[in-house]
Amino acid sequence: MLDYSYRLFLSNWVLNDPIFNLKYFLWSKIPLHHKQNIQIPVSYLRINIDLMVIYMSNGNNHRSTVFSNGHVSRVSGDGTLKIPRELLSQLNVPESSPVMVEAFRECLLVCPIEKMKLNSIYLEITSKCNLNCIMCVRRVWKDEIGNMDFKLLKKIIREAKELGVEWVWFAGYGEPLIYDHFEEAVEEVKQNKIKLGITTNGTLLDEDMAKTLIKYGIDRVVVSIDSPFEEKFKKIRGTEMSKIIGNIRHLYEKSQKSKKPEIWVEIVAMRDNIEDLPVLVDLAGKSGATTILVSNLLPYTYELAQQTLYFNGHNIASDIILEASKRAIASKVRLLTPYFELKTQRSCNFIEKGSCVVTWNGDVCPCYNFMHTYPCIINGRKKMIHKVSFGNLNDQSLKNVWFNPKYVRFRFTVKNFSFPSCTDCEFQEFCWFVEENLMDCWGNSPSCADCLWARKIIQCP
């Protein structure tokens, strides 16, 4: 009978030395005793403390120097595993705290429940929209269009409050302000003392709507403005820019007493409009916006792919971003810009911030990228993104879906970003894994290996 010992280490170690890939080292199929011969100095590691992982190793081949700051604990005959007090203190987890234990690959995940908190929910209260913007995914998907049942929305908000959710967003690919029960939905969220953010194209943000938002104390409104110039804006969004700017200014003026909502402006950066960014910064600042969020374009057709600025077009944007940043400082506006080229580090804001997306029909999805089924173009090649759902709130509770073991494992994988990098892989031209998000060459299913959100090339509020 083999004598097993268990090594505990903290998740999210990231190697600074590019020669090594710690994540591949951890999850590769090399026999366990071979791994014990690898020693990695503490200086190579950056620790993000949020989760404990029990790494299984054969006790006969155990070496205490594999991880310089590792801790060794043994499982007793009755299956009890004692976790060192210093690890609990590092994690800020009190004794007798409830934990979730799951077997995952070569590990046992020991997840303190309080570290798995759901902080924010993005609710797609409708997938309908009153515009047809040139860069919108709704032009190419075949998903059913619909509104969230109001009874379902009330159920979600009630369960969100029970879980201690801090933020709810009315967002997604539809226009929230056209939702039939919009005011009742707003009231439901605010009565439960949850912060509320709304993303909107701004066309329906008239005086009456402004009164509603101010009345209920909406915390943040993000308005999409892709150019400060009328003709170009109309070409992109098919409506009048001046009307939307007027709506923003009116909302800002009427909210001076309450100081809510905070107003953000969002722009999808393309080759045709990136040069307008400095002027947009000036306009947004004068209109009362506190923040401008710049996101790159995720194209859904080869024609639209010609508009992307990242990879081959980042040099076009650099000087413009610099000028926009100077104007943002002068206008006291925060400018959040994306990357325009691939960086080594990958991180998912949805997972890191404890967020999920709920579609209009109740499906719980991990992020914007996986909330619908659609084709897109990444690095010149077509990729099919399939919707990923870990449960439906029509017949399950939010708590049960959030703590669904499959969902927990997925979040752990994403938090450590144990995925290959398809976007810059030398084999992407003839690898069939890159054609869909269903699986990657490391066996992950679904896969985030090609995600541009994780690269901070595309951004969400």
Side-chain angles (χ1 to χ4, degrees):
M1 181 175 179
L2 291 176
D3 176 26
Y4 281 95
S5 65
Y6 294 77
R7 171 162 298 282
L8 283 76
F9 62 91
L10 299 174
S11 72
N12 270 18
W13 279 345
V14 178
L15 284 179
N16 296 320
D17 190 334
I19 296 176
F20 294 95
N21 185 330
L22 178 61
K23 294 166 185 173
Y24 183 75
F25 158 69
L26 290 177
W27 305 127
S28 59
K29 298 303 181 182
I30 304 171
L32 291 176
H33 66 275
H34 288 175
K35 295 179 182 178
Q36 306 307 308
N37 297 322
I38 300 176
Q39 181 173 352
I40 302 175
V42 174
S43 60
Y44 279 104
L45 306 176
R46 175 177 63 80
I47 300 177
N48 179 5
I49 300 176
D50 60 357
L51 174 68
M52 282 183 290
V53 180
I54 303 174
Y55 177 64
M56 300 171 62
S57 59
N58 188 315
N60 295 328
N61 296 301
H62 172 74
R63 290 183 57 178
S64 61
T65 56
V66 174
F67 295 110
S68 301
N69 63 340
H71 300 270
V72 177
S73 182
R74 291 182 180 274
V75 178
S76 64
D78 63 357
T80 301
L81 172 66
K82 291 186 177 180
I83 299 174
R85 290 180 181 273
E86 54 194 288
L87 273 184
L88 291 175
S89 62
Q90 281 181 300
L91 287 162
N92 195 27
V93 178
E95 291 187 24
S96 302
S97 295
V99 296
M100 182 173 182
V101 181
E102 278 296 324
F104 181 56
R105 297 181 180 177
E106 298 162 350
C107 300
L108 291 177
L109 307 186
V110 182
C111 311
I113 297 298
E114 64 183 52
K115 297 291 182 178
M116 300 170 63
K117 185 174 181 294
L118 176 60
N119 294 311
S120 58
I121 303 175
Y122 290 78
L123 288 186
E124 183 187 52
I125 57 177
T126 181
S127 60
K128 297 178 180 180
C129 189
N130 59 335
L131 297 183
N132 190 28
C133 304
I134 63 171
M135 64 291 195
C136 185
V137 64
R138 297 172 72 259
R139 285 174 167 252
V140 296
W141 78 26
K142 296 182 179 179
D143 287 8
E144 184 181 356
I145 303 296
N147 293 324
M148 181 174 286
D149 184 272
F150 187 58
K151 290 182 180 179
L152 174 61
L153 185 144
K154 292 176 67 175
K155 172 183 180 290
I156 294 171
I157 300 304
R158 183 179 67 253
E159 293 178 353
K161 181 182 180 181
E162 293 171 357
L163 287 177
V165 170
E166 298 173 15
W167 275 90
V168 164
W169 283 86
F170 292 166
Y173 293 107
E175 171 51 50
L177 300 190
I178 69 173
Y179 182 55
D180 294 337
H181 304 282
F182 179 78
E183 184 170 349
E184 298 99 305
V186 168
E187 184 178 13
E188 189 71 25
V189 175
K190 298 309 293 181
Q191 280 185 346
N192 282 281
K193 296 180 171 50
I194 301 174
K195 292 180 181 179
L196 178 59
I198 298 169
T199 64
T200 175
N201 58 38
T203 56
L204 303 177
L205 199 56
D206 55 19
E207 291 187 16
D208 290 338
M209 183 59 69
K211 288 179 181 178
T212 298
L213 301 185
I214 295 168
K215 172 185 175 182
Y216 290 104
I218 304 304
D219 297 275
R220 188 174 299 161
V221 174
V222 182
V223 185
S224 297
I225 302 179
D226 296 303
S227 176
F229 301 112
E230 194 72 61
E231 184 177 347
K232 191 176 293 186
F233 183 89
K234 192 167 187 176
K235 179 181 178 182
I236 296 172
R237 292 195 167 260
T239 191
E240 297 178 6
M241 182 272 301
S242 56
K243 176 184 176 182
I244 296 172
I245 291 296
N247 289 343
I248 293 175
R249 286 175 173 166
H250 177 78
L251 176 63
Y252 173 70
E253 291 168 1
K254 294 299 181 181
S255 64
Q256 286 305 289
K257 185 177 181 180
S258 64
K259 301 301 180 183
K260 287 184 178 183
E262 179 188 8
I263 300 172
W264 285 28
V265 166
E266 181 178 17
I267 174 176
V268 177
M270 299 177 282
R271 288 178 183 262
D272 282 353
N273 70 348
I274 186 63
E275 63 184 6
D276 303 341
L277 183 59
V279 179
L280 179 61
V281 170
D282 293 338
L283 181 62
K286 293 175 182 177
S287 303
T290 65
T291 304
I292 298 175
L293 177 69
V294 183
S295 177
N296 274 298
L297 166 73
L298 179 62
Y300 307 105
T301 65
Y302 286 107
E303 180 182 4
L304 199 56
Q306 302 303 311
Q307 287 288 326
T308 57
L309 291 161
Y310 45 95
F311 303 154
N312 296 323
H314 63 274
N315 291 329
I316 300 173
S318 57
D319 291 341
I320 298 171
I321 293 293
L322 179 60
E323 175 60 26
S325 299
K326 292 177 181 177
R327 297 196 187 192
I329 293 172
S331 301
K332 297 182 180 180
V333 173
R334 184 173 57 156
L335 182 64
L336 304 177
T337 58
Y339 292 147
F340 291 90
E341 55 187 337
L342 292 178
K343 305 289 185 180
T344 301
Q345 184 174 349
R346 293 178 289 171
S347 177
C348 175
N349 272 342
F350 282 93
I351 301 300
E352 293 293 335
K353 295 180 179 180
S355 305
C356 73
V357 178
V358 182
T359 59
W360 68 270
N361 62 349
D363 284 329
V364 179
C365 306
C367 61
Y368 270 11
N369 194 24
F370 288 170
M371 67 185 293
H372 288 285
T373 298
Y374 58 91
C376 61
I377 309 299
I378 299 180
N379 205 13
R381 52 181 165 73
K382 187 175 182 180
K383 187 183 191 79
M384 195 68 191
I385 302 296
H386 296 272
K387 181 177 183 178
V388 175
S389 172
F390 289 98
N392 189 285
L393 299 183
N394 282 292
D395 52 22
Q396 294 174 272
S397 71
L398 181 60
K399 181 178 181 179
N400 285 346
V401 175
W402 182 249
F403 290 106
N404 176 344
K406 290 183 179 179
Y407 198 2
V408 172
R409 295 186 195 112
F410 175 80
R411 295 200 301 271
F412 172 76
T413 304
V414 177
K415 206 161 183 60
N416 286 274
F417 231 89
S418 300
F419 300 97
S421 179
C422 296
T423 317
D424 56 354
C425 178
E426 60 183 322
F427 304 119
Q428 63 179 290
E429 293 184 9
F430 51 84
C431 175
W432 64 269
F433 283 114
V434 303
E435 296 176 2
E436 299 176 297
N437 65 324
L438 297 178
M439 182 178 287
D440 60 42
C441 61
W442 288 10
N444 297 298
S445 179
S447 175
C448 304
D450 232 357
C451 182
L452 297 183
W453 277 265
R455 300 280 192 174
K456 202 187 169 185
I457 287 173
I458 297 174
Q459 302 191 105
C460 297

